[in-house]
């Protein structure tokens, strides 16, 4: 018999400031891919010019959501000491599994079996995709018991994945959907994005609470680690984007969107942004702005470009 005492999760009083809010919000937005009529995209898909790019975008996203299900949320939940936060992170993990599965639903609807097999083979072979998966998974797998620094790093990596690295992929369906192309597949992406927004804010918030407990010297050291980690992933992301979007001519716009989201990820973690504000394609921006309230966000298209500013985390951020 060990002396380990098992504690029961007690939701009768808050042990974590926002756990209940994150819990409620996540369940409120439960959804299943089969609710979206992706088959309505089939006609457009048959004539769609850049099928190869589109399929690879979804292949890459599938890998990230698979890692977030199997390693990310599991490991972070396992080592998070607060039992309410642990429960919230476990729920987030279930949604990651829905996300990862939803891409397969799109593939099944649009592609042939051999095409699908080719995509999953490409995922294994694409060096940039494998690089980012490896970098993130390494930090997830390095969490140690009673080592809050290692947990903070894993949460940092998680926010990088969910608020920053997904967006090279999200760009394309949002961009097309906003122009009436393959709208139903884009709608699935908007639902995933809506979940990722909560995850980025919640994990960023939990990370900030851990960060506050560190002495200043440690904080400076960790910040340096974080910015270096981000820059490394950023450089890789630029190459991934060039490779992926080569035939579409969209790389410069995707890259701007990536920088915007890198800033957002830093904001979620309570850290200074690092990229200057720049113009973001308004069709894509509208995709984000309206995801919280309605499924049909594409009807409100912006006509002009505007410089997108990342908003700092305020009380408003928690009104989903
Ligand atoms: Fe996800
Ligand atoms: Fe997520």
């Amino acid at each position: 018999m060990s002396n380990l005492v098992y504690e029961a999760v007690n939701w009768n009083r808050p042990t974590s400031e926002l756990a209940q809010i994150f819990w409620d919000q996540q369940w409120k937005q439960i959804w299943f891919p089969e609710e979206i009529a992706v088959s309505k995209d089939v006609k457009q898909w048959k004539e769609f010019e850049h099928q190869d790019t589109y399929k690879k975008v979804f292949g890459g996203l599938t890998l990230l959501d698979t890692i977030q299900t199997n390693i990310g949320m599991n490991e972070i939940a396992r080592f998070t000491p607060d039992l309410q936060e642990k429960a919230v992170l476990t729920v987030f993990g279930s949604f990651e599994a829905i996300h990862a599965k939803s891409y397969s639903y799109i593939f099944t609807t649009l592609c042939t079996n051999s095409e699908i097999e080719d995509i999953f083979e490409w995922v294994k072979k694409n060096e940039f995709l494998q690089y980012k998966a490896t970098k993130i998974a390494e930090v997830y797998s390095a969490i140690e018991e009673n080592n809050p620094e290692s947990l903070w790093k894993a949460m940092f990596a998680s926010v990088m994945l969910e608020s920053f690295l997904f967006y090279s992929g999200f760009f394309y369906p949002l961009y097309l959907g906003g122009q009436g192309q393959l709208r139903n597949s884009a709608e699935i992406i908007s639902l995933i994005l809506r979940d990722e927004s909560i995850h980025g804010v919640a994990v960023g918030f939990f990370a900030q609470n851990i960060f506050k407990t560190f002495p200043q010297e440690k904080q400076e050291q960790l910040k340096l680690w974080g910015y270096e980690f981000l820059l490394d992933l950023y450089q890789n992301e630029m190459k991934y984007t060039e490779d992926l979007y080569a035939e579409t001519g969209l790389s410069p716009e995707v890259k701007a969107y990536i920088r915007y989201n890198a800033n957002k990820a830093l904001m979620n973690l309570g850290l200074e942004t690092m990229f200057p504000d720049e113009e973001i394609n308004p069709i894509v921006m509208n995709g984000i702005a309206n995801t919280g309230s309605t499924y049909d966000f594409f009807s409100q298209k912006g006509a002009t470009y505007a410089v997108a500013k990342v908003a700092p985390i305020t009380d408003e951020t928690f009104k989903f």
Side-chain angles (χ1 to χ4, degrees), residues 65 96 99 166 192 196:
D65 264 315
E96 303 304 354
H99 300 170
F166 266 112
I192 295 176
E196 299 308 357

Side-chain angles (χ1 to χ4, degrees), residues 48 50-61 122 126 128 132 164-176 189 236-258 284:
F48 183 60
H50 301 298
Q51 285 189 357
D52 190 53
T53 302
Y54 202 82
K55 287 186 286 188
K56 286 175 178 168
V57 158
F58 281 77
L61 290 170
W122 173 83
N126 185 278
F128 308 120
K132 70 173 148 178
F164 161 42
L165 299 174
F166 266 112
Y167 288 81
S168 53
F170 287 163
F171 179 95
Y172 204 33
L174 292 178
Y175 174 84
L176 293 166
I189 293 303
N236 181 65
E237 208 60 6
M238 294 293 102
K239 291 182 220 156
Y240 178 64
T241 300
E242 255 161 44
D243 179 38
L244 199 58
Y245 287 90
E247 61 167 73
T248 66
L250 288 168
S251 296
E253 291 195 56
V254 182
K255 287 178 178 177
Y257 189 52
I258 290 170
V284 175

Side-chain angles (χ1 to χ4, degrees), residues 223-239:
K223 261 191 231 173
L224 197 67
W225 174 88
Y227 284 108
E228 275 173 11
F229 187 70
L230 188 155
L231 263 181
D232 184 17
L233 290 167
Y234 170 71
Q235 274 149 8
N236 181 65
E237 208 60 6
M238 294 293 102
K239 291 182 220 156

Side-chain angles (χ1 to χ4, degrees), residues 61 64-66 68-69 92 95-100 103 162 166 170 192 195-196 199:
L61 290 170
L64 300 189
D65 264 315
T66 306
Q68 198 62 355
T69 314
F92 287 174
F95 279 78
E96 303 304 354
I98 296 176
H99 300 170
Y103 307 113
E162 305 197 307
F166 266 112
F170 287 163
I192 295 176
D195 292 336
E196 299 308 357
H199 300 175

